[in-house]
Amino acid sequence: MKKVLILLGPPGAGKGTVGGKLSEIYNLPLISSGDLLRENVNNHTELGEKANSYIKRGELVPDELVEKIIEDRIKKEDCNYGFILDGFPRTLKQAEDLEKIFHDEGSLIVIYLSASDEFLIKRLSNRRICENCGAIYHLINLPPKKEGICDKCGGKLIQREDDKPEVIKKRIDVYHKLTQPIIDYYRKKGNFFEISGEGKLEETVTKIKEILKW
Ligand code: AMP
């Protein structure tokens, strides 16, 4: 049976950072819809050009565009034993369509990382990412060893355009409106666990490991 984990939660709850750790621990690919979209934007693909206008404004990219990249990604061989989803699904439509793409529901576990809006704004405004490998840092809680430089690949650390204050607020509003309804959807289905995304990375990862028992 495939091991499939969905990390749900608002922007800044730690899905990418926690997902990165879990990906190393369980040797499963971390599939981040945001990273895949940004990759398309940077490579100036047709999909990337379409998606960019939404991303810049902090809005959601239309379902069919995101579903296409997720569907293509989870068909790849490295997903044969399972995968971890970060940032997908983000609308009820995406959650329902995921079931059509991926039928093996029995093995699906959903972890909801919760956090207050205040906490998210603080965390996102201190976030920096590597423009080369996408590694995530926090200026206070998870700083790089050398200022402005990625520990993993030596790439330059930048602030995401959509981590600027005006866009952060919009992204959190969009989350409450469009993504929060999925929480009830999965809660009703079972295999749903909520934990705080505000704790330390190691603590959060330990809690998730206890839930997964993989
Ligand atoms: P993230 O890196 O997950 O914060 O995503 C960055 C941006 O990419 C979001 O603000 C959206 O514009 C877009 N995006 C990422 N995942 C999705 C998704 N599942 N559905 C729609 N838009 C998405």
Side-chain angles (χ1 to χ4, degrees):
M1 200 161 66
K2 278 192 188 186
K3 292 171 174 163
V4 178
L5 173 66
I6 295 180
L7 291 172
L8 277 186
K15 302 183 299 294
T17 314
V18 169
K21 274 273 166 221
L22 296 171
S23 163
E24 282 170 20
I25 295 170
Y26 296 110
N27 198 20
L28 292 172
L30 174 67
I31 301 178
S32 152
S33 47
D35 281 351
L36 291 170
L37 287 166
R38 279 185 290 278
E39 217 175 281
N40 273 276
V41 172
N42 294 339
N43 293 333
H44 300 283
T45 66
E46 204 186 322
L47 191 150
E49 300 290 328
K50 280 188 198 152
N52 198 19
S53 57
Y54 298 93
I55 298 174
K56 277 198 300 206
R57 292 197 298 266
E59 288 170 12
L60 291 190
V61 171
D63 291 331
E64 61 277 12
L65 294 184
V66 189
E67 287 178 16
K68 170 87 181 79
I69 50 170
I70 291 292
E71 191 173 358
D72 289 348
R73 181 63 189 85
I74 63 182
K75 273 187 197 148
K76 293 202 172 148
E77 215 183 317
D78 64 339
C79 294
N80 282 351
Y81 297 102
F83 47 88
I84 301 169
L85 286 174
D86 152 20
F88 185 93
R90 240 176 169 106
T91 61
L92 266 179
K93 168 98 173 60
Q94 291 177 16
E96 286 162 3
D97 288 344
L98 178 63
E99 282 167 29
K100 293 179 204 151
I101 307 170
F102 175 71
H103 313 280
D104 191 7
E105 256 194 75
S107 58
L108 195 123
I109 294 184
V110 179
I111 296 208
Y112 166 42
L113 293 174
S114 60
S116 72
D117 288 2
E118 255 183 343
F119 178 90
L120 299 171
I121 293 167
K122 251 196 220 153
R123 189 186 260 170
L124 288 173
S125 40
N126 280 304
R127 178 160 77 175
R128 296 293 180 272
I129 61 158
C130 172
E131 69 173 355
N132 180 46
C133 73
I136 305 165
Y137 296 86
H138 183 281
L139 293 182
I140 297 150
N141 302 334
L142 196 65
K145 292 194 183 93
K146 206 169 152 199
E147 202 186 315
I149 305 289
C150 177
D151 295 347
K152 293 182 183 148
C153 75
K156 192 174 142 205
L157 300 188
I158 53 160
Q159 182 172 39
R160 271 169 50 174
E161 277 299 315
D162 60 350
D163 278 346
K164 307 222 159 124
E166 330 71 73
V167 191
I168 289 178
K169 181 150 187 329
K170 171 80 184 173
R171 288 164 64 208
I172 293 175
D173 287 348
V174 166
Y175 169 79
H176 287 305
K177 222 163 99 200
L178 297 174
T179 309
Q180 210 144 14
I182 323 185
I183 291 163
D184 285 331
Y185 174 85
Y186 282 121
R187 210 192 291 270
K188 281 184 201 136
K189 277 180 171 284
N191 273 355
F192 174 93
F193 303 87
E194 175 175 347
I195 57 177
S196 168
E198 296 188 13
K200 290 211 169 77
L201 174 62
E202 290 72 24
E203 289 165 11
T204 309
V205 170
T206 304
K207 282 185 198 154
I208 296 178
K209 278 165 68 182
E210 282 163 9
I211 292 170
L212 295 175
K213 296 190 192 81
W214 280 351

